[in-house]
Amino acid sequence: MSIEVVELWKRFRATLALKGVTASFGNGLNVVLGPNGSGKSTLLMIMAGLLKPSKGRVSFLGVDPWRDPRFVHENCSMYLEDSGLPQWMKGIDLLKSIPQVDWDRVERLSKDLSVESYWRRYIFTYSSGMAKKIALMACLCKDAKVYILDEPFTNLDAAAINAIVSVLGELSRSSTVIVATHVIPPRLSELISKLVILVDGSKVFDSSERSYLKSLRCPYSEKYLDAAMSAIRAGKAKEITVTGEEVLIRGVSRDLAIEGCRELVDIELAYREALQG
């Protein structure tokens, strides 16, 4: 695993931000989901060596990130929601200054995020949304072994969110991508390989530890309706959603596979059940 945390605790005076969290993250798209104040940002900052844990162990590509921040900097690209940009620079100059930048990716994202109209202006003239797009590009356009992003989808329009999700999927084919979010954008469930849910500083769901995670998306037909009902009766699925175009079998056990159906990570169902306790 690229990153592992074991029995992680973090206290800010009287507030416990993390309570004994254990989780591991490997190559692929890893999502840390939870409501605001659940400890997601704290977890990411500890994994990146920006905060020291009160108790517990952290491994970042085999090293302690708090003790070796230079190693983390060399191998990680990070976006923090409240991170500031150098106001005296132009957006395009900031991107050019990034070591190991993939300029082909910069040019593609600049079009997808519509930043070309303003990235030659000084950053202090940007709105918060403009600045966020440049900051996300600075993170996503660097070649790295690990990408860590905190709330990348907030305050973005649908087109920008779709572009970010596409790049995350692309990067996750060869790198470890960890995204903390309380927003579930379309298509995310089709790409993620691991889901961890935090509530009030505690881990309440981990897809590697639960008997179900996936859903099956099947074309609409009597054949797949019958298969869905059989799965429900056998206790291998939790519910069915039917439209005129598809049969969605939700909360499916790991050992259930139906030919012709596509497997998806069922973020929505896992999140709903986690919040219900």
mmCIF file with all atom_site columns, all heavy atoms in Angstrom, residues 29 31 184 187-195 205 207 213-216 250 262-270:
data_model
loop_
_atom_site.group_PDB
_atom_site.id
_atom_site.type_symbol
_atom_site.label_atom_id
_atom_site.label_alt_id
_atom_site.label_comp_id
_atom_site.label_asym_id
_atom_site.label_entity_id
_atom_site.label_seq_id
_atom_site.pdbx_PDB_ins_code
_atom_site.Cartn_x
_atom_site.Cartn_y
_atom_site.Cartn_z
_atom_site.occupancy
_atom_site.B_iso_or_equiv
_atom_site.pdbx_formal_charge
_atom_site.auth_seq_id
_atom_site.auth_comp_id
_atom_site.auth_asym_id
_atom_site.auth_atom_id
_atom_site.pdbx_PDB_model_num
ATOM 1   N N   . LEU A 1 29  ? -8.153  5.137  -7.456  1.00 0.00 ? 29  LEU A N   1
ATOM 2   C CA  . LEU A 1 29  ? -8.862  6.310  -6.940  1.00 0.00 ? 29  LEU A CA  1
ATOM 3   C C   . LEU A 1 29  ? -9.504  5.965  -5.603  1.00 0.00 ? 29  LEU A C   1
ATOM 4   O O   . LEU A 1 29  ? -10.449 5.180  -5.535  1.00 0.00 ? 29  LEU A O   1
ATOM 5   C CB  . LEU A 1 29  ? -9.922  6.769  -7.938  1.00 0.00 ? 29  LEU A CB  1
ATOM 6   C CG  . LEU A 1 29  ? -10.765 7.981  -7.548  1.00 0.00 ? 29  LEU A CG  1
ATOM 7   C CD1 . LEU A 1 29  ? -9.893  9.171  -7.175  1.00 0.00 ? 29  LEU A CD1 1
ATOM 8   C CD2 . LEU A 1 29  ? -11.729 8.347  -8.672  1.00 0.00 ? 29  LEU A CD2 1
ATOM 9   N N   . VAL A 1 31  ? -11.456 7.310  -2.229  1.00 0.00 ? 31  VAL A N   1
ATOM 10  C CA  . VAL A 1 31  ? -12.313 8.411  -1.801  1.00 0.00 ? 31  VAL A CA  1
ATOM 11  C C   . VAL A 1 31  ? -12.525 8.331  -0.296  1.00 0.00 ? 31  VAL A C   1
ATOM 12  O O   . VAL A 1 31  ? -12.896 7.274  0.239   1.00 0.00 ? 31  VAL A O   1
ATOM 13  C CB  . VAL A 1 31  ? -13.671 8.375  -2.532  1.00 0.00 ? 31  VAL A CB  1
ATOM 14  C CG1 . VAL A 1 31  ? -14.629 9.413  -1.941  1.00 0.00 ? 31  VAL A CG1 1
ATOM 15  C CG2 . VAL A 1 31  ? -13.480 8.636  -4.020  1.00 0.00 ? 31  VAL A CG2 1
ATOM 16  N N   . ILE A 1 184 ? -20.760 14.104 -3.832  1.00 0.00 ? 184 ILE A N   1
ATOM 17  C CA  . ILE A 1 184 ? -20.628 12.924 -4.679  1.00 0.00 ? 184 ILE A CA  1
ATOM 18  C C   . ILE A 1 184 ? -21.000 13.312 -6.105  1.00 0.00 ? 184 ILE A C   1
ATOM 19  O O   . ILE A 1 184 ? -22.174 13.337 -6.478  1.00 0.00 ? 184 ILE A O   1
ATOM 20  C CB  . ILE A 1 184 ? -21.541 11.790 -4.194  1.00 0.00 ? 184 ILE A CB  1
ATOM 21  C CG1 . ILE A 1 184 ? -21.298 11.491 -2.712  1.00 0.00 ? 184 ILE A CG1 1
ATOM 22  C CG2 . ILE A 1 184 ? -21.308 10.525 -5.027  1.00 0.00 ? 184 ILE A CG2 1
ATOM 23  C CD1 . ILE A 1 184 ? -22.278 10.512 -2.116  1.00 0.00 ? 184 ILE A CD1 1
ATOM 24  N N   . ARG A 1 187 ? -20.512 10.106 -12.048 1.00 0.00 ? 187 ARG A N   1
ATOM 25  C CA  . ARG A 1 187 ? -19.427 9.298  -12.619 1.00 0.00 ? 187 ARG A CA  1
ATOM 26  C C   . ARG A 1 187 ? -18.375 8.887  -11.608 1.00 0.00 ? 187 ARG A C   1
ATOM 27  O O   . ARG A 1 187 ? -17.538 8.032  -11.913 1.00 0.00 ? 187 ARG A O   1
ATOM 28  C CB  . ARG A 1 187 ? -18.737 10.019 -13.784 1.00 0.00 ? 187 ARG A CB  1
ATOM 29  C CG  . ARG A 1 187 ? -19.597 10.219 -15.020 1.00 0.00 ? 187 ARG A CG  1
ATOM 30  C CD  . ARG A 1 187 ? -18.810 10.876 -16.143 1.00 0.00 ? 187 ARG A CD  1
ATOM 31  N NE  . ARG A 1 187 ? -17.567 10.192 -16.393 1.00 0.00 ? 187 ARG A NE  1
ATOM 32  C CZ  . ARG A 1 187 ? -16.377 10.799 -16.422 1.00 0.00 ? 187 ARG A CZ  1
ATOM 33  N NH1 . ARG A 1 187 ? -16.281 12.086 -16.209 1.00 0.00 ? 187 ARG A NH1 1
ATOM 34  N NH2 . ARG A 1 187 ? -15.280 10.109 -16.676 1.00 0.00 ? 187 ARG A NH2 1
ATOM 35  N N   . LEU A 1 188 ? -18.372 9.461  -10.412 1.00 0.00 ? 188 LEU A N   1
ATOM 36  C CA  . LEU A 1 188 ? -17.315 9.118  -9.456  1.00 0.00 ? 188 LEU A CA  1
ATOM 37  C C   . LEU A 1 188 ? -17.367 7.639  -9.084  1.00 0.00 ? 188 LEU A C   1
ATOM 38  O O   . LEU A 1 188 ? -16.336 6.979  -8.977  1.00 0.00 ? 188 LEU A O   1
ATOM 39  C CB  . LEU A 1 188 ? -17.430 9.986  -8.204  1.00 0.00 ? 188 LEU A CB  1
ATOM 40  C CG  . LEU A 1 188 ? -16.225 9.951  -7.265  1.00 0.00 ? 188 LEU A CG  1
ATOM 41  C CD1 . LEU A 1 188 ? -15.007 10.571 -7.917  1.00 0.00 ? 188 LEU A CD1 1
ATOM 42  C CD2 . LEU A 1 188 ? -16.524 10.663 -5.955  1.00 0.00 ? 188 LEU A CD2 1
ATOM 43  N N   . SER A 1 189 ? -18.577 7.117  -8.905  1.00 0.00 ? 189 SER A N   1
ATOM 44  C CA  . SER A 1 189 ? -18.709 5.722  -8.477  1.00 0.00 ? 189 SER A CA  1
ATOM 45  C C   . SER A 1 189 ? -18.195 4.750  -9.522  1.00 0.00 ? 189 SER A C   1
ATOM 46  O O   . SER A 1 189 ? -17.857 3.609  -9.208  1.00 0.00 ? 189 SER A O   1
ATOM 47  C CB  . SER A 1 189 ? -20.169 5.406  -8.145  1.00 0.00 ? 189 SER A CB  1
ATOM 48  O OG  . SER A 1 189 ? -20.988 5.577  -9.287  1.00 0.00 ? 189 SER A OG  1
ATOM 49  N N   . GLU A 1 190 ? -18.127 5.189  -10.776 1.00 0.00 ? 190 GLU A N   1
ATOM 50  C CA  . GLU A 1 190 ? -17.637 4.309  -11.836 1.00 0.00 ? 190 GLU A CA  1
ATOM 51  C C   . GLU A 1 190 ? -16.120 4.193  -11.836 1.00 0.00 ? 190 GLU A C   1
ATOM 52  O O   . GLU A 1 190 ? -15.566 3.314  -12.502 1.00 0.00 ? 190 GLU A O   1
ATOM 53  C CB  . GLU A 1 190 ? -18.106 4.834  -13.198 1.00 0.00 ? 190 GLU A CB  1
ATOM 54  C CG  . GLU A 1 190 ? -19.614 4.929  -13.338 1.00 0.00 ? 190 GLU A CG  1
ATOM 55  C CD  . GLU A 1 190 ? -20.019 5.518  -14.679 1.00 0.00 ? 190 GLU A CD  1
ATOM 56  O OE1 . GLU A 1 190 ? -19.197 5.490  -15.604 1.00 0.00 ? 190 GLU A OE1 1
ATOM 57  O OE2 . GLU A 1 190 ? -21.155 5.997  -14.798 1.00 0.00 ? 190 GLU A OE2 1
ATOM 58  N N   . LEU A 1 191 ? -15.437 5.067  -11.089 1.00 0.00 ? 191 LEU A N   1
ATOM 59  C CA  . LEU A 1 191 ? -13.982 5.141  -11.168 1.00 0.00 ? 191 LEU A CA  1
ATOM 60  C C   . LEU A 1 191 ? -13.264 4.712  -9.894  1.00 0.00 ? 191 LEU A C   1
ATOM 61  O O   . LEU A 1 191 ? -12.113 4.292  -9.957  1.00 0.00 ? 191 LEU A O   1
ATOM 62  C CB  . LEU A 1 191 ? -13.559 6.578  -11.510 1.00 0.00 ? 191 LEU A CB  1
ATOM 63  C CG  . LEU A 1 191 ? -14.055 7.137  -12.847 1.00 0.00 ? 191 LEU A CG  1
ATOM 64  C CD1 . LEU A 1 191 ? -13.711 8.620  -12.947 1.00 0.00 ? 191 LEU A CD1 1
ATOM 65  C CD2 . LEU A 1 191 ? -13.451 6.375  -14.011 1.00 0.00 ? 191 LEU A CD2 1
ATOM 66  N N   . ILE A 1 192 ? -13.915 4.808  -8.740  1.00 0.00 ? 192 ILE A N   1
ATOM 67  C CA  . ILE A 1 192 ? -13.167 4.620  -7.504  1.00 0.00 ? 192 ILE A CA  1
ATOM 68  C C   . ILE A 1 192 ? -12.875 3.150  -7.224  1.00 0.00 ? 192 ILE A C   1
ATOM 69  O O   . ILE A 1 192 ? -13.614 2.249  -7.610  1.00 0.00 ? 192 ILE A O   1
ATOM 70  C CB  . ILE A 1 192 ? -13.859 5.269  -6.293  1.00 0.00 ? 192 ILE A CB  1
ATOM 71  C CG1 . ILE A 1 192 ? -15.025 4.422  -5.791  1.00 0.00 ? 192 ILE A CG1 1
ATOM 72  C CG2 . ILE A 1 192 ? -14.295 6.670  -6.575  1.00 0.00 ? 192 ILE A CG2 1
ATOM 73  C CD1 . ILE A 1 192 ? -15.493 4.857  -4.438  1.00 0.00 ? 192 ILE A CD1 1
ATOM 74  N N   . SER A 1 193 ? -11.754 2.930  -6.559  1.00 0.00 ? 193 SER A N   1
ATOM 75  C CA  . SER A 1 193 ? -11.336 1.580  -6.194  1.00 0.00 ? 193 SER A CA  1
ATOM 76  C C   . SER A 1 193 ? -11.467 1.329  -4.696  1.00 0.00 ? 193 SER A C   1
ATOM 77  O O   . SER A 1 193 ? -11.475 0.176  -4.263  1.00 0.00 ? 193 SER A O   1
ATOM 78  C CB  . SER A 1 193 ? -9.888  1.345  -6.629  1.00 0.00 ? 193 SER A CB  1
ATOM 79  O OG  . SER A 1 193 ? -9.038  2.364  -6.142  1.00 0.00 ? 193 SER A OG  1
ATOM 80  N N   . LYS A 1 194 ? -11.550 2.400  -3.898  1.00 0.00 ? 194 LYS A N   1
ATOM 81  C CA  . LYS A 1 194 ? -11.701 2.219  -2.453  1.00 0.00 ? 194 LYS A CA  1
ATOM 82  C C   . LYS A 1 194 ? -12.483 3.388  -1.874  1.00 0.00 ? 194 LYS A C   1
ATOM 83  O O   . LYS A 1 194 ? -12.308 4.535  -2.284  1.00 0.00 ? 194 LYS A O   1
ATOM 84  C CB  . LYS A 1 194 ? -10.342 2.120  -1.767  1.00 0.00 ? 194 LYS A CB  1
ATOM 85  C CG  . LYS A 1 194 ? -10.452 2.049  -0.238  1.00 0.00 ? 194 LYS A CG  1
ATOM 86  C CD  . LYS A 1 194 ? -9.294  1.358  0.396   1.00 0.00 ? 194 LYS A CD  1
ATOM 87  C CE  . LYS A 1 194 ? -9.541  1.170  1.889   1.00 0.00 ? 194 LYS A CE  1
ATOM 88  N NZ  . LYS A 1 194 ? -8.504  0.373  2.535   1.00 0.00 ? 194 LYS A NZ  1
ATOM 89  N N   . LEU A 1 195 ? -13.337 3.075  -0.905  1.00 0.00 ? 195 LEU A N   1
ATOM 90  C CA  . LEU A 1 195 ? -14.150 4.091  -0.234  1.00 0.00 ? 195 LEU A CA  1
ATOM 91  C C   . LEU A 1 195 ? -13.991 3.955  1.271   1.00 0.00 ? 195 LEU A C   1
ATOM 92  O O   . LEU A 1 195 ? -14.158 2.868  1.835   1.00 0.00 ? 195 LEU A O   1
ATOM 93  C CB  . LEU A 1 195 ? -15.620 3.927  -0.612  1.00 0.00 ? 195 LEU A CB  1
ATOM 94  C CG  . LEU A 1 195 ? -16.621 4.845  0.102   1.00 0.00 ? 195 LEU A CG  1
ATOM 95  C CD1 . LEU A 1 195 ? -16.396 6.297  -0.306  1.00 0.00 ? 195 LEU A CD1 1
ATOM 96  C CD2 . LEU A 1 195 ? -18.055 4.423  -0.209  1.00 0.00 ? 195 LEU A CD2 1
ATOM 97  N N   . PHE A 1 205 ? -16.982 3.275  7.792   1.00 0.00 ? 205 PHE A N   1
ATOM 98  C CA  . PHE A 1 205 ? -17.107 2.374  6.644   1.00 0.00 ? 205 PHE A CA  1
ATOM 99  C C   . PHE A 1 205 ? -15.775 2.293  5.927   1.00 0.00 ? 205 PHE A C   1
ATOM 100 O O   . PHE A 1 205 ? -15.087 3.294  5.740   1.00 0.00 ? 205 PHE A O   1
ATOM 101 C CB  . PHE A 1 205 ? -18.180 2.875  5.671   1.00 0.00 ? 205 PHE A CB  1
ATOM 102 C CG  . PHE A 1 205 ? -18.361 1.992  4.451   1.00 0.00 ? 205 PHE A CG  1
ATOM 103 C CD1 . PHE A 1 205 ? -19.269 0.946  4.474   1.00 0.00 ? 205 PHE A CD1 1
ATOM 104 C CD2 . PHE A 1 205 ? -17.622 2.199  3.306   1.00 0.00 ? 205 PHE A CD2 1
ATOM 105 C CE1 . PHE A 1 205 ? -19.433 0.120  3.367   1.00 0.00 ? 205 PHE A CE1 1
ATOM 106 C CE2 . PHE A 1 205 ? -17.776 1.387  2.192   1.00 0.00 ? 205 PHE A CE2 1
ATOM 107 C CZ  . PHE A 1 205 ? -18.680 0.342  2.231   1.00 0.00 ? 205 PHE A CZ  1
ATOM 108 N N   . SER A 1 207 ? -14.473 0.038  2.478   1.00 0.00 ? 207 SER A N   1
ATOM 109 C CA  . SER A 1 207 ? -14.923 -0.917 1.472   1.00 0.00 ? 207 SER A CA  1
ATOM 110 C C   . SER A 1 207 ? -14.108 -2.204 1.484   1.00 0.00 ? 207 SER A C   1
ATOM 111 O O   . SER A 1 207 ? -14.580 -3.243 1.023   1.00 0.00 ? 207 SER A O   1
ATOM 112 C CB  . SER A 1 207 ? -14.851 -0.289 0.079   1.00 0.00 ? 207 SER A CB  1
ATOM 113 O OG  . SER A 1 207 ? -13.515 0.066  -0.249  1.00 0.00 ? 207 SER A OG  1
ATOM 114 N N   . LEU A 1 213 ? -19.999 -3.707 -1.404  1.00 0.00 ? 213 LEU A N   1
ATOM 115 C CA  . LEU A 1 213 ? -19.628 -2.353 -1.787  1.00 0.00 ? 213 LEU A CA  1
ATOM 116 C C   . LEU A 1 213 ? -20.256 -2.006 -3.122  1.00 0.00 ? 213 LEU A C   1
ATOM 117 O O   . LEU A 1 213 ? -20.681 -0.888 -3.351  1.00 0.00 ? 213 LEU A O   1
ATOM 118 C CB  . LEU A 1 213 ? -18.107 -2.225 -1.911  1.00 0.00 ? 213 LEU A CB  1
ATOM 119 C CG  . LEU A 1 213 ? -17.571 -0.950 -2.564  1.00 0.00 ? 213 LEU A CG  1
ATOM 120 C CD1 . LEU A 1 213 ? -17.931 0.259  -1.714  1.00 0.00 ? 213 LEU A CD1 1
ATOM 121 C CD2 . LEU A 1 213 ? -16.071 -1.023 -2.757  1.00 0.00 ? 213 LEU A CD2 1
ATOM 122 N N   . LYS A 1 214 ? -20.353 -2.997 -3.982  1.00 0.00 ? 214 LYS A N   1
ATOM 123 C CA  . LYS A 1 214 ? -20.666 -2.699 -5.371  1.00 0.00 ? 214 LYS A CA  1
ATOM 124 C C   . LYS A 1 214 ? -22.152 -2.736 -5.671  1.00 0.00 ? 214 LYS A C   1
ATOM 125 O O   . LYS A 1 214 ? -22.964 -3.266 -4.922  1.00 0.00 ? 214 LYS A O   1
ATOM 126 C CB  . LYS A 1 214 ? -19.954 -3.699 -6.281  1.00 0.00 ? 214 LYS A CB  1
ATOM 127 C CG  . LYS A 1 214 ? -20.437 -5.132 -6.129  1.00 0.00 ? 214 LYS A CG  1
ATOM 128 C CD  . LYS A 1 214 ? -19.651 -6.067 -7.034  1.00 0.00 ? 214 LYS A CD  1
ATOM 129 C CE  . LYS A 1 214 ? -20.149 -7.509 -6.909  1.00 0.00 ? 214 LYS A CE  1
ATOM 130 N NZ  . LYS A 1 214 ? -19.399 -8.433 -7.762  1.00 0.00 ? 214 LYS A NZ  1
ATOM 131 N N   . SER A 1 215 ? -22.484 -2.133 -6.796  1.00 0.00 ? 215 SER A N   1
ATOM 132 C CA  . SER A 1 215 ? -23.780 -2.290 -7.428  1.00 0.00 ? 215 SER A CA  1
ATOM 133 C C   . SER A 1 215 ? -23.533 -2.839 -8.828  1.00 0.00 ? 215 SER A C   1
ATOM 134 O O   . SER A 1 215 ? -22.428 -2.732 -9.366  1.00 0.00 ? 215 SER A O   1
ATOM 135 C CB  . SER A 1 215 ? -24.523 -0.960 -7.513  1.00 0.00 ? 215 SER A CB  1
ATOM 136 O OG  . SER A 1 215 ? -24.951 -0.548 -6.230  1.00 0.00 ? 215 SER A OG  1
ATOM 137 N N   . LEU A 1 216 ? -24.566 -3.413 -9.415  1.00 0.00 ? 216 LEU A N   1
ATOM 138 C CA  . LEU A 1 216 ? -24.494 -3.909 -10.781 1.00 0.00 ? 216 LEU A CA  1
ATOM 139 C C   . LEU A 1 216 ? -25.473 -3.119 -11.632 1.00 0.00 ? 216 LEU A C   1
ATOM 140 O O   . LEU A 1 216 ? -26.663 -3.035 -11.305 1.00 0.00 ? 216 LEU A O   1
ATOM 141 C CB  . LEU A 1 216 ? -24.833 -5.402 -10.841 1.00 0.00 ? 216 LEU A CB  1
ATOM 142 C CG  . LEU A 1 216 ? -23.865 -6.345 -10.125 1.00 0.00 ? 216 LEU A CG  1
ATOM 143 C CD1 . LEU A 1 216 ? -24.392 -7.783 -10.188 1.00 0.00 ? 216 LEU A CD1 1
ATOM 144 C CD2 . LEU A 1 216 ? -22.482 -6.280 -10.746 1.00 0.00 ? 216 LEU A CD2 1
ATOM 145 N N   . ARG A 1 250 ? -28.456 -2.921 -6.174  1.00 0.00 ? 250 ARG A N   1
ATOM 146 C CA  . ARG A 1 250 ? -27.637 -2.174 -5.224  1.00 0.00 ? 250 ARG A CA  1
ATOM 147 C C   . ARG A 1 250 ? -27.303 -3.013 -3.996  1.00 0.00 ? 250 ARG A C   1
ATOM 148 O O   . ARG A 1 250 ? -28.043 -3.901 -3.601  1.00 0.00 ? 250 ARG A O   1
ATOM 149 C CB  . ARG A 1 250 ? -28.350 -0.894 -4.811  1.00 0.00 ? 250 ARG A CB  1
ATOM 150 C CG  . ARG A 1 250 ? -28.836 -0.073 -6.000  1.00 0.00 ? 250 ARG A CG  1
ATOM 151 C CD  . ARG A 1 250 ? -29.351 1.269  -5.594  1.00 0.00 ? 250 ARG A CD  1
ATOM 152 N NE  . ARG A 1 250 ? -28.262 2.114  -5.106  1.00 0.00 ? 250 ARG A NE  1
ATOM 153 C CZ  . ARG A 1 250 ? -28.443 3.356  -4.673  1.00 0.00 ? 250 ARG A CZ  1
ATOM 154 N NH1 . ARG A 1 250 ? -29.652 3.875  -4.659  1.00 0.00 ? 250 ARG A NH1 1
ATOM 155 N NH2 . ARG A 1 250 ? -27.428 4.070  -4.263  1.00 0.00 ? 250 ARG A NH2 1
ATOM 156 N N   . ARG A 1 262 ? -22.417 -4.146 -15.493 1.00 0.00 ? 262 ARG A N   1
ATOM 157 C CA  . ARG A 1 262 ? -21.197 -3.436 -15.126 1.00 0.00 ? 262 ARG A CA  1
ATOM 158 C C   . ARG A 1 262 ? -21.164 -3.194 -13.623 1.00 0.00 ? 262 ARG A C   1
ATOM 159 O O   . ARG A 1 262 ? -22.146 -2.764 -13.026 1.00 0.00 ? 262 ARG A O   1
ATOM 160 C CB  . ARG A 1 262 ? -21.105 -2.099 -15.862 1.00 0.00 ? 262 ARG A CB  1
ATOM 161 C CG  . ARG A 1 262 ? -19.796 -1.381 -15.608 1.00 0.00 ? 262 ARG A CG  1
ATOM 162 C CD  . ARG A 1 262 ? -19.597 -0.211 -16.533 1.00 0.00 ? 262 ARG A CD  1
ATOM 163 N NE  . ARG A 1 262 ? -20.665 0.762  -16.407 1.00 0.00 ? 262 ARG A NE  1
ATOM 164 C CZ  . ARG A 1 262 ? -20.595 1.996  -16.906 1.00 0.00 ? 262 ARG A CZ  1
ATOM 165 N NH1 . ARG A 1 262 ? -19.539 2.373  -17.581 1.00 0.00 ? 262 ARG A NH1 1
ATOM 166 N NH2 . ARG A 1 262 ? -21.598 2.829  -16.758 1.00 0.00 ? 262 ARG A NH2 1
ATOM 167 N N   . GLU A 1 263 ? -20.008 -3.483 -12.992 1.00 0.00 ? 263 GLU A N   1
ATOM 168 C CA  . GLU A 1 263 ? -19.859 -3.272 -11.554 1.00 0.00 ? 263 GLU A CA  1
ATOM 169 C C   . GLU A 1 263 ? -19.556 -1.802 -11.268 1.00 0.00 ? 263 GLU A C   1
ATOM 170 O O   . GLU A 1 263 ? -18.756 -1.174 -11.950 1.00 0.00 ? 263 GLU A O   1
ATOM 171 C CB  . GLU A 1 263 ? -18.725 -4.135 -11.003 1.00 0.00 ? 263 GLU A CB  1
ATOM 172 C CG  . GLU A 1 263 ? -19.033 -5.623 -11.009 1.00 0.00 ? 263 GLU A CG  1
ATOM 173 C CD  . GLU A 1 263 ? -17.966 -6.417 -10.287 1.00 0.00 ? 263 GLU A CD  1
ATOM 174 O OE1 . GLU A 1 263 ? -17.057 -5.794 -9.689  1.00 0.00 ? 263 GLU A OE1 1
ATOM 175 O OE2 . GLU A 1 263 ? -18.037 -7.655 -10.323 1.00 0.00 ? 263 GLU A OE2 1
ATOM 176 N N   . LEU A 1 264 ? -20.189 -1.276 -10.221 1.00 0.00 ? 264 LEU A N   1
ATOM 177 C CA  . LEU A 1 264 ? -19.964 0.094  -9.771  1.00 0.00 ? 264 LEU A CA  1
ATOM 178 C C   . LEU A 1 264 ? -19.764 0.100  -8.269  1.00 0.00 ? 264 LEU A C   1
ATOM 179 O O   . LEU A 1 264 ? -20.322 -0.745 -7.560  1.00 0.00 ? 264 LEU A O   1
ATOM 180 C CB  . LEU A 1 264 ? -21.155 0.996  -10.105 1.00 0.00 ? 264 LEU A CB  1
ATOM 181 C CG  . LEU A 1 264 ? -21.573 1.133  -11.562 1.00 0.00 ? 264 LEU A CG  1
ATOM 182 C CD1 . LEU A 1 264 ? -22.864 1.942  -11.646 1.00 0.00 ? 264 LEU A CD1 1
ATOM 183 C CD2 . LEU A 1 264 ? -20.477 1.814  -12.357 1.00 0.00 ? 264 LEU A CD2 1
ATOM 184 N N   . VAL A 1 265 ? -18.987 1.051  -7.780  1.00 0.00 ? 265 VAL A N   1
ATOM 185 C CA  . VAL A 1 265 ? -18.906 1.276  -6.345  1.00 0.00 ? 265 VAL A CA  1
ATOM 186 C C   . VAL A 1 265 ? -20.137 2.066  -5.920  1.00 0.00 ? 265 VAL A C   1
ATOM 187 O O   . VAL A 1 265 ? -20.401 3.144  -6.453  1.00 0.00 ? 265 VAL A O   1
ATOM 188 C CB  . VAL A 1 265 ? -17.629 2.050  -5.977  1.00 0.00 ? 265 VAL A CB  1
ATOM 189 C CG1 . VAL A 1 265 ? -17.624 2.384  -4.489  1.00 0.00 ? 265 VAL A CG1 1
ATOM 190 C CG2 . VAL A 1 265 ? -16.399 1.241  -6.348  1.00 0.00 ? 265 VAL A CG2 1
ATOM 191 N N   . ASP A 1 266 ? -20.891 1.539  -4.978  1.00 0.00 ? 266 ASP A N   1
ATOM 192 C CA  . ASP A 1 266 ? -22.141 2.190  -4.582  1.00 0.00 ? 266 ASP A CA  1
ATOM 193 C C   . ASP A 1 266 ? -21.888 3.164  -3.439  1.00 0.00 ? 266 ASP A C   1
ATOM 194 O O   . ASP A 1 266 ? -22.125 2.871  -2.268  1.00 0.00 ? 266 ASP A O   1
ATOM 195 C CB  . ASP A 1 266 ? -23.188 1.145  -4.180  1.00 0.00 ? 266 ASP A CB  1
ATOM 196 C CG  . ASP A 1 266 ? -24.600 1.692  -4.263  1.00 0.00 ? 266 ASP A CG  1
ATOM 197 O OD1 . ASP A 1 266 ? -24.776 2.888  -3.971  1.00 0.00 ? 266 ASP A OD1 1
ATOM 198 O OD2 . ASP A 1 266 ? -25.506 0.947  -4.624  1.00 0.00 ? 266 ASP A OD2 1
ATOM 199 N N   . ILE A 1 267 ? -21.357 4.334  -3.794  1.00 0.00 ? 267 ILE A N   1
ATOM 200 C CA  . ILE A 1 267 ? -21.037 5.345  -2.790  1.00 0.00 ? 267 ILE A CA  1
ATOM 201 C C   . ILE A 1 267 ? -22.294 5.794  -2.044  1.00 0.00 ? 267 ILE A C   1
ATOM 202 O O   . ILE A 1 267 ? -22.309 5.914  -0.819  1.00 0.00 ? 267 ILE A O   1
ATOM 203 C CB  . ILE A 1 267 ? -20.366 6.569  -3.448  1.00 0.00 ? 267 ILE A CB  1
ATOM 204 C CG1 . ILE A 1 267 ? -19.092 6.161  -4.162  1.00 0.00 ? 267 ILE A CG1 1
ATOM 205 C CG2 . ILE A 1 267 ? -20.066 7.631  -2.413  1.00 0.00 ? 267 ILE A CG2 1
ATOM 206 C CD1 . ILE A 1 267 ? -18.423 7.293  -4.900  1.00 0.00 ? 267 ILE A CD1 1
ATOM 207 N N   . GLU A 1 268 ? -23.339 6.048  -2.788  1.00 0.00 ? 268 GLU A N   1
ATOM 208 C CA  . GLU A 1 268 ? -24.551 6.608  -2.198  1.00 0.00 ? 268 GLU A CA  1
ATOM 209 C C   . GLU A 1 268 ? -25.148 5.689  -1.142  1.00 0.00 ? 268 GLU A C   1
ATOM 210 O O   . GLU A 1 268 ? -25.528 6.127  -0.056  1.00 0.00 ? 268 GLU A O   1
ATOM 211 C CB  . GLU A 1 268 ? -25.567 6.870  -3.311  1.00 0.00 ? 268 GLU A CB  1
ATOM 212 C CG  . GLU A 1 268 ? -26.774 7.674  -2.862  1.00 0.00 ? 268 GLU A CG  1
ATOM 213 C CD  . GLU A 1 268 ? -27.695 7.984  -4.022  1.00 0.00 ? 268 GLU A CD  1
ATOM 214 O OE1 . GLU A 1 268 ? -27.192 8.238  -5.142  1.00 0.00 ? 268 GLU A OE1 1
ATOM 215 O OE2 . GLU A 1 268 ? -28.910 7.958  -3.804  1.00 0.00 ? 268 GLU A OE2 1
ATOM 216 N N   . LEU A 1 269 ? -25.218 4.401  -1.447  1.00 0.00 ? 269 LEU A N   1
ATOM 217 C CA  . LEU A 1 269 ? -25.791 3.449  -0.494  1.00 0.00 ? 269 LEU A CA  1
ATOM 218 C C   . LEU A 1 269 ? -24.914 3.315  0.749   1.00 0.00 ? 269 LEU A C   1
ATOM 219 O O   . LEU A 1 269 ? -25.411 3.319  1.869   1.00 0.00 ? 269 LEU A O   1
ATOM 220 C CB  . LEU A 1 269 ? -25.958 2.085  -1.165  1.00 0.00 ? 269 LEU A CB  1
ATOM 221 C CG  . LEU A 1 269 ? -26.534 0.962  -0.288  1.00 0.00 ? 269 LEU A CG  1
ATOM 222 C CD1 . LEU A 1 269 ? -27.925 1.315  0.201   1.00 0.00 ? 269 LEU A CD1 1
ATOM 223 C CD2 . LEU A 1 269 ? -26.560 -0.356 -1.047  1.00 0.00 ? 269 LEU A CD2 1
ATOM 224 N N   . ALA A 1 270 ? -23.607 3.219  0.547   1.00 0.00 ? 270 ALA A N   1
ATOM 225 C CA  . ALA A 1 270 ? -22.693 3.095  1.696   1.00 0.00 ? 270 ALA A CA  1
ATOM 226 C C   . ALA A 1 270 ? -22.770 4.329  2.598   1.00 0.00 ? 270 ALA A C   1
ATOM 227 O O   . ALA A 1 270 ? -22.797 4.218  3.821   1.00 0.00 ? 270 ALA A O   1
ATOM 228 C CB  . ALA A 1 270 ? -21.268 2.888  1.197   1.00 0.00 ? 270 ALA A CB  1
#
